[in-house]
Amino acid sequence: MTGYQELKTELLQINQAVASVLSRINSMPGTAQRTFDGWINICQSIDAQLSEEIARIAVIGAIKSGKSTLINSLFSGDYLKRGAGVVTAMVTKIRRGSRLKATLFFKSWDEVNADIERALVLLPSMKLKSQNEKFDLRRDSDRQELHTAIGSMERKKLISNDMRNLNSLYLSYYAKGYEQVKDFLASDALQYEYYDSDFSSHLDFSGNEVMALYLKDISLEIDSGEIDENVEIADCQGSDSPNPLHMAMIQDYLIVANLLIYVISSRTGIRQADINFLSMIKKMGLIDHMLFVVNIDFSEHSSIDELKQLIEKVKEDLSLIKSDPEVYAYSALLSLFRKQKEKLNARDRDRMMQWERESDIVLFSQTEELDFITKFRDVIIKERHALLLMNHLNRLKVIEAGLRQWILVKLEVLCKGVDEVSLLHKKIKAQQKKVDRLKSLVKSTLDGAIGEIKRIVRVDVDRFFDRRSGDVVPGLIEFVNNYSVSFHKYEEKLSASGFTDTLYLVFQEFTNAINTFMAEDVNPRIFKFIKAQEEKIKDYFDSVAGPYEAMAKDALSQYNTVMAELGIGPPITCHPQAIQMDFNVLKREKGLELPSASAIMNYSVAIKTEAMLRLGMYNIVRKIKQLIRKPAEKEMD
């Protein structure tokens, strides 16, 4: 992506030169104070936005599909952990840097303890603290009580519908990881950095679910590969991970990503888990911004024809979710091996040599990889960076045109007599008044438009979340109301262990079901709604500002005519409408971001109190019914 980088560097240099000229003119004797402050602020904004703007790429797919390997190949090195099973424990963000660097962002002790307290609700054999005495993992007594409570839980309490339940994960992982991370945490959130030879230390956290739970974020900088420094690639967890936290973490990144790359293993093809995950992405309104990569496993294919048949089958399956899916097929591992030939161990070198003997598949893989990289660059440069650069270039054009006119006017003044200067000043002032009236009219219109669009969006939000006719709340209420507990599963447990233990199991099954429903149905609908509202706001302001475009062009045309009559030219030809609204820039400048989708539901202790009260009432009613229905053996009975 050197082309974009060169353009960006050149634009930054032009911007800095313009800012320098404006500052020098501002400080010249005879120049009205703060004449060009507005333009200087624009130049500063351009510099900051070009430095901060990032194109985000999410690499997603099922466990062991080859996501980490694909990213490693893009960065030409083995930087992310590869291996069997659930290796990627959290979303790992990677960018190009000047040296190897891993930054780990840890939770604070307050955040850790809050997580644990939420997970303690309804846990048998765990005495909840009073309101004035919160749980604190740093206290020996609290930590020992937590270990005891976890140890008392049978294995079946840790599994719900073949998935590990959220609360059990929080408690067991926090308890296991305390000794390893206690020295990293503080009252406030901290971050640690590992450089160069210590870079691989991040794998102790990114590839370890226990340690990763203490992290809020992790980012890597890598000094190799051809990825531009303004591109961030995220290695996401497997979409079919048994950890229920992972789906929410993936959703958090998907909503800010500019492009999704879905990796499919040629060993498995499209599975039901892939269809479910892609359907969820479609609900979020993100399916159009996606490329697919079939990661070729050489050991699974006997011929190129058999491989192409599989690829066609993958395309056919994907077309059920996305029309005309863009599918590329190549071996990420072979690509990685080739990029680090000299660093391969004997086993990997032998594997590469064996694969390369299958010349037809290797040639196919190389061609497809080249096509994928070309498309990848086109999407990022043309569809994301091009908009960014064009907006800033057009802003600089506006400044350049205005500055040129200002200089020409000053030169004209120096060459004319007093009467001519007075006439020139009068005509320019007249044009300036027209422009000022237009600016005032546009500003008042936009001020009114802001209030109106706020009202429109507020109505849409209320309608969307309405509990009777909205898009999400009625479905959520219906899910809760229709949720049924398989009582026969718990009859034996109820008689053997009592109500409290059984209540915990029922509660875990219910929370797992509702959290899954939230992740797969509710969250995608909310994300899609938010994107639709952003588009509505943009379209609304475009429609409001549209009528003023002709007025602005007319005012500019009159101004150019007057300047031409005075012998001042060339005319200004910039077009303000060429500067497009970029919501990502606006949101970042205003500090707007969505709450985390991984924020778990805050179940309170009141649930346990109500359950116990209901149990007591049901027992009383049952006893009364038994007394009423029992046949009388004696008159006094």
Side-chain angles (χ1 to χ4, degrees):
M1 298 191 183
T2 54
Y4 165 75
Q5 189 60 39
E6 289 171 0
L7 288 173
K8 174 189 164 185
T9 301
E10 188 175 351
L11 189 60
L12 279 171
Q13 291 171 348
I14 294 171
N15 182 61
Q16 290 165 2
V18 171
S20 176
V21 169
L22 293 172
S23 297
R24 287 168 60 191
I25 295 175
N26 243 4
S27 61
M28 287 172 56
T31 303
Q33 192 176 13
R34 310 179 72 85
T35 300
F36 297 113
D37 281 3
W39 285 349
I40 291 173
N41 290 337
I42 291 175
C43 289
Q44 292 173 345
S45 171
I46 290 173
D47 189 75
Q49 288 179 19
L50 279 172
S51 301
E52 295 173 3
E53 178 63 20
I54 298 172
R56 293 179 169 85
I57 318 297
V59 179
I60 52 181
I63 293 172
K64 285 210 70 184
S65 57
K67 300 181 297 297
S68 299
T69 305
L70 185 142
I71 296 173
N72 280 335
S73 72
L74 291 174
F75 283 95
S76 303
D78 233 340
Y79 302 108
L80 300 174
K81 190 172 183 179
R82 298 182 288 114
V86 187
V87 173
T88 306
M90 65 184 308
V91 175
T92 304
K93 301 164 189 173
I94 309 103
R95 291 176 62 183
R96 180 66 183 266
S98 58
R99 62 189 293 194
L100 284 177
K101 176 184 174 183
T103 306
L104 278 59
F105 300 87
F106 286 85
K107 296 176 182 177
S108 67
W109 280 117
D110 287 343
E111 290 171 319
V112 169
N113 289 325
D115 282 349
I116 295 175
E117 281 201 325
R118 282 192 289 264
L120 290 176
V121 175
L122 295 183
L123 178 67
S125 69
M126 187 73 187
K127 297 178 181 178
L128 293 174
K129 302 290 180 181
S130 66
Q131 194 67 24
N132 297 325
E133 187 183 4
K134 300 289 187 180
F135 180 92
D136 193 334
L137 190 62
R138 291 168 290 182
R139 276 200 296 262
D140 291 340
S141 58
D142 287 13
R143 200 163 57 254
Q144 182 57 47
E145 189 175 1
L146 179 61
H147 278 289
T148 302
I150 294 172
S152 68
M153 289 191 293
E154 300 174 14
R155 186 179 182 278
K156 62 183 177 181
K157 292 180 186 175
L158 302 177
I159 305 294
S160 179
N161 292 335
D162 299 323
M163 294 185 68
R164 291 175 287 180
N165 71 66
L166 185 60
N167 290 343
S168 298
L169 279 170
Y170 268 127
L171 297 177
S172 60
Y173 286 179
Y174 275 131
K176 289 178 183 177
Y178 172 78
E179 291 296 331
Q180 295 168 282
V181 302
K182 63 181 181 181
D183 295 331
F184 289 90
L185 271 64
S187 298
D188 297 320
L190 294 177
Q191 68 182 58
Y192 286 83
E193 297 174 344
Y194 297 98
Y195 293 93
D196 302 328
S197 59
D198 294 327
F199 174 81
S200 60
S201 297
H202 82 272
L203 296 173
D204 295 337
F205 295 88
S206 61
N208 185 324
E209 288 185 313
V210 173
M211 307 285 276
L213 195 58
Y214 282 91
L215 293 176
K216 289 201 293 188
D217 204 357
I218 181 169
S219 63
L220 308 179
E221 291 184 19
I222 294 172
D223 58 353
S224 64
E226 299 181 1
I227 301 299
D228 185 76
E229 63 181 14
N230 282 76
V231 174
E232 177 182 274
I233 299 183
D235 185 19
C236 299
Q237 304 95 322
S239 56
D240 53 346
S241 167
N243 186 337
L245 285 173
H246 289 178
M247 179 60 71
M249 291 181 183
I250 295 171
Q251 288 176 335
D252 282 337
Y253 198 84
L254 293 183
I255 198 64
V256 299
N258 305 108
L259 175 68
L260 312 182
I261 298 175
Y262 198 93
V263 184
I264 302 159
S265 172
S266 70
R267 185 179 59 259
T268 60
I270 294 290
R271 300 178 298 170
Q272 186 60 46
D274 295 305
I275 297 296
N276 294 341
F277 187 56
L278 291 170
S279 298
M280 183 204 73
I281 292 174
K282 188 173 184 177
K283 287 181 185 177
M284 295 174 71
L286 304 176
I287 199 72
D288 292 332
H289 305 285
M290 180 178 287
L291 302 178
F292 297 90
V293 173
V294 176
N295 188 22
I296 298 175
D297 187 336
F298 276 83
S299 62
E300 292 292 323
H301 307 289
S302 57
S303 68
I304 186 67
D305 292 334
E306 185 262 334
L307 173 62
K308 288 182 176 180
Q309 287 178 7
L310 175 106
I311 295 169
E312 287 303 314
K313 179 65 167 61
V314 167
K315 289 181 180 179
E316 182 182 334
D317 292 340
L318 290 175
S319 63
L320 298 174
I321 304 294
K322 183 183 188 300
S323 59
D324 299 322
E326 295 187 71
V327 181
Y328 304 86
Y330 72 95
S331 171
L333 189 56
L334 176 61
S335 174
L336 176 61
F337 282 172
R338 286 186 157 188
K339 290 175 180 177
Q340 50 172 9
K341 277 185 180 180
E342 299 177 358
K343 298 180 181 179
L344 293 179
N345 56 41
R347 179 172 176 271
D348 288 340
R349 193 178 299 111
D350 290 343
R351 290 170 70 190
M352 184 180 71
M353 292 174 62
Q354 180 183 353
W355 293 343
E356 288 185 331
R357 284 195 287 268
E358 301 181 45
S359 56
D360 51 352
I361 298 181
V362 169
L363 180 61
F364 176 80
S365 176
Q366 289 176 314
T367 304
E368 287 282 298
E369 180 181 9
L370 182 60
D371 290 344
F372 167 73
I373 296 298
T374 301
K375 178 64 177 180
F376 175 77
R377 290 176 175 173
D378 285 348
V379 170
I380 297 305
I381 293 176
K382 293 181 180 178
E383 296 182 17
R384 181 61 192 155
H385 288 328
L387 170 63
L388 177 72
L389 293 180
M390 190 58 66
N391 274 350
H392 295 322
L393 183 60
N394 285 324
R395 288 187 176 97
L396 288 174
K397 283 182 178 179
V398 172
I399 295 174
E400 180 272 335
L403 184 57
R404 175 163 42 85
Q405 286 284 346
W406 183 86
I407 293 172
L408 290 173
V409 169
K410 294 297 182 184
L411 289 174
E412 193 71 17
V413 167
L414 293 174
C415 300
K416 293 183 180 294
V418 175
D419 293 339
E420 290 177 307
V421 169
S422 177
L423 178 62
L424 174 64
H425 182 263
K426 183 178 179 181
K427 289 187 175 182
I428 291 177
K429 276 291 185 182
Q431 293 301 314
Q432 187 175 358
K433 285 181 180 179
K434 291 181 180 179
V435 173
D436 287 342
R437 284 197 296 269
L438 178 59
K439 286 168 60 179
S440 178
L441 181 61
V442 172
K443 184 179 184 303
S444 62
T445 302
L446 291 178
D447 287 342
I450 290 172
E452 178 63 14
I453 193 62
K454 282 184 177 180
R455 185 192 66 77
I456 293 172
V457 170
R458 189 178 297 113
V459 170
D460 287 346
V461 170
D462 291 342
R463 185 182 297 118
F464 182 79
F465 287 104
D466 185 84
R467 62 174 300 164
R468 293 184 179 85
S469 59
D471 286 23
V472 293
V473 179
L476 184 58
I477 294 174
E478 182 182 7
F479 176 85
V480 174
N481 288 338
N482 293 339
Y483 182 82
S484 60
V485 178
S486 302
F487 293 105
H488 66 277
K489 291 168 51 178
Y490 300 102
E491 288 178 350
E492 181 180 345
K493 182 65 181 175
L494 184 61
S495 59
S497 302
F499 177 73
T500 305
D501 278 8
T502 307
L503 177 64
Y504 179 75
L505 291 177
V506 173
F507 178 69
Q508 293 304 315
E509 183 177 321
F510 171 72
T511 54
N512 180 76
I514 197 170
N515 286 336
T516 300
F517 180 78
M518 291 286 290
E520 295 181 354
D521 190 270
V522 175
N523 287 349
R525 293 175 185 271
I526 294 175
F527 291 144
K528 187 174 183 179
F529 171 75
I530 291 169
K531 282 191 168 293
Q533 290 300 306
E534 289 181 354
E535 285 299 316
K536 175 179 283 191
I537 294 170
K538 181 179 180 299
D539 292 342
Y540 179 81
F541 279 108
D542 285 343
S543 66
V544 170
Y548 293 101
E549 182 180 328
M551 296 174 64
K553 286 182 178 179
D554 183 55
L556 186 61
S557 176
Q558 291 182 28
Y559 177 82
N560 285 331
T561 300
V562 171
M563 291 296 104
E565 291 174 355
L566 296 172
I568 301 174
I572 297 176
T573 57
C574 61
H575 301 289
Q577 76 277 9
I579 301 174
Q580 301 180 40
M581 182 184 296
D582 190 330
F583 255 95
N584 291 315
V585 172
L586 292 175
K587 287 188 292 185
R588 186 175 63 249
E589 288 182 345
K590 299 301 180 183
L592 297 174
E593 58 182 19
L594 290 173
S596 172
S598 59
I600 64 171
M601 299 178 72
N602 190 5
Y603 304 103
S604 72
V605 184
I607 291 176
K608 186 172 184 177
T609 304
E610 183 173 349
M612 298 298 290
L613 285 172
R614 285 178 178 269
L615 175 68
M617 286 299 299
Y618 293 155
N619 282 338
I620 292 172
V621 171
R622 189 177 73 248
K623 293 295 184 184
I624 292 174
K625 286 182 177 179
Q626 287 176 349
L627 287 172
I628 294 174
R629 294 175 181 175
K630 188 176 181 180
E633 297 179 358
K634 297 180 182 179
E635 189 174 338
M636 293 298 295
D637 287 348

